[in-house]
Amino acid sequence: MSSQVSRVTPASSHATRFASAITRRPAASAVDGLRAQDQGAVDIKRLAQQHLDYQNALRQAGAVVMELPALPDFPDAQFVEDTALCLPGLAVMMRPGAESRRGEVAPMRDALALVFDRMADITTGFIEAGDILTTPSEILVGLSARTNQEGADALKTILDDHGYAMRVLQTPPDVLHFKTDCSLIDDGLILSTARLAASGCFSGYDTMLVPEGEEPAANMIRYNDVIIMPAGFPKTEAMLNAEGFEVIAVGNSECAKIDGGMSCLSLRF
Ligand code: CIR
């Protein structure tokens, strides 16, 4: 019997405790998804299977999963996270910096309007929710190639009205989204790459660093009492297991080729 005392706490805040998740079935056009560099052709059959595995992991974590139909005109539409910020009782619709992704927002708005009492819209600047990390005490927004100051300011105006604190930070250069490099893995505990944590932006939080060489594992999700992480990062997985986390690893080889990870594939609320 292990004598180790786990420091993992039960999910208890709006940043870790959820009931539902929205996903979108990948279209065949996902093979044409945006990517910063060529990492090989996307195997669409494998992508579809990995998407099913991801949804099953969410269900194992306690989610009621609503899968929306594929949007063939939008190759990146399965990365639903970028279209909206979901908070208790409030959905804020984003305005993606990637022009090819702007048309994903309206169909997601229609879906969220069925479940959220209050809706708000970013109408100036650009912001993608992959650049937004919600913690129990505040909302962190990383400026990036997809999210600019004007978009962040527009979000701040909305969040001020609803009583949420927000802080603007910088996504590391050449990193797609702020959350490409970090995740909230427990209330008050952030898993980060060393390059992002080095900026000091997480002072006031406990942090754990992703082991060197496994940086793509920094994007994962805490959903209730489970962590869903990409498969293939044994040092990170062992580190989390040693801390007492319940971890489900899901194959992400195909989404990774189009710069997608665990958080991008769902909206959680
Ligand atoms: C894009 O470049 O927009 C997509 N290929 C990947 C989006 C990943 N989303 C995220 O990190 N939240």
Side-chain angles (χ1 to χ4, degrees):
M1 198 170 75
S2 164
S3 60
Q4 190 190 346
V5 178
S6 168
R7 70 159 146 159
V8 180
T9 57
S12 60
S13 83
H14 65 87
T16 50
R17 180 142 298 280
F18 310 102
S20 308
I22 290 187
T23 61
R24 188 178 289 286
R25 186 177 288 238
S29 60
V31 298
D32 297 321
L34 296 173
R35 69 208 77 187
Q37 54 190 37
D38 186 8
Q39 298 182 72
V42 174
D43 178 335
I44 197 69
K45 270 200 180 145
R46 201 164 179 210
L47 176 73
Q49 184 57 53
Q50 291 178 339
H51 197 255
L52 292 174
D53 294 345
Y54 175 79
Q55 294 180 127
N56 282 334
L58 282 168
R59 290 187 187 102
Q60 259 182 274
V64 173
V65 178
M66 289 166 261
E67 188 192 53
L68 301 175
L71 290 180
D73 289 345
F74 298 98
D76 285 303
Q78 73 270 19
F79 300 123
V80 287
E81 172 178 72
D82 295 318
T83 60
L85 171 65
C86 294
L87 295 167
L90 171 70
V92 185
M93 302 314 298
M94 300 284 110
R95 192 154 183 266
E99 201 179 346
S100 66
R101 301 200 56 189
R102 273 178 219 147
E104 297 171 25
V105 175
M108 183 56 77
R109 193 183 202 289
D110 292 344
L112 291 177
L114 300 175
V115 280
F116 280 85
D117 295 337
R118 293 172 298 169
M119 303 288 297
D121 301 270
I122 302 290
T123 54
T124 55
F126 299 113
I127 184 162
E128 297 186 359
D131 280 315
I132 304 177
L133 181 71
T134 300
T135 81
S137 57
E138 61 180 343
I139 290 169
L140 303 176
V141 178
L143 301 181
S144 71
R146 301 287 183 87
T147 294
N148 63 14
Q149 185 67 51
E150 199 183 348
D153 290 344
L155 179 62
K156 179 142 184 12
T157 303
I158 293 168
L159 295 180
D160 281 348
D161 284 349
H162 291 86
Y164 288 96
M166 184 187 124
R167 196 151 56 98
V168 177
L169 303 165
Q170 193 64 50
T171 298
D174 302 325
V175 171
L176 175 60
H177 285 129
F178 189 68
K179 268 188 307 195
T180 306
D181 266 32
C182 65
S183 312
L184 184 82
I185 56 167
D186 203 0
D187 287 322
L189 175 61
I190 291 173
L191 175 77
S192 175
T193 58
R195 66 187 167 203
L196 178 57
S199 69
C201 64
F202 298 133
S203 68
Y205 292 92
D206 288 334
T207 50
M208 277 171 67
L209 296 186
V210 181
E212 205 182 328
E214 295 200 353
E215 284 74 13
N219 179 271
M220 52 178 68
I221 53 175
R222 171 76 184 259
Y223 194 104
N224 297 336
D225 295 321
V226 175
I227 282 181
I228 303 175
M229 69 169 284
F233 300 99
K235 289 188 218 160
T236 308
E237 192 170 346
M239 178 178 81
L240 294 171
N241 283 328
E243 289 288 342
F245 286 101
E246 184 183 341
V247 176
I248 303 176
V250 176
N252 189 52
S253 60
E254 304 315 299
C255 275
K257 292 173 186 167
I258 41 176
D259 300 341
M262 295 290 103
S263 73
C264 329
L265 288 169
S266 60
L267 285 169
R268 304 161 290 281
F269 50 93

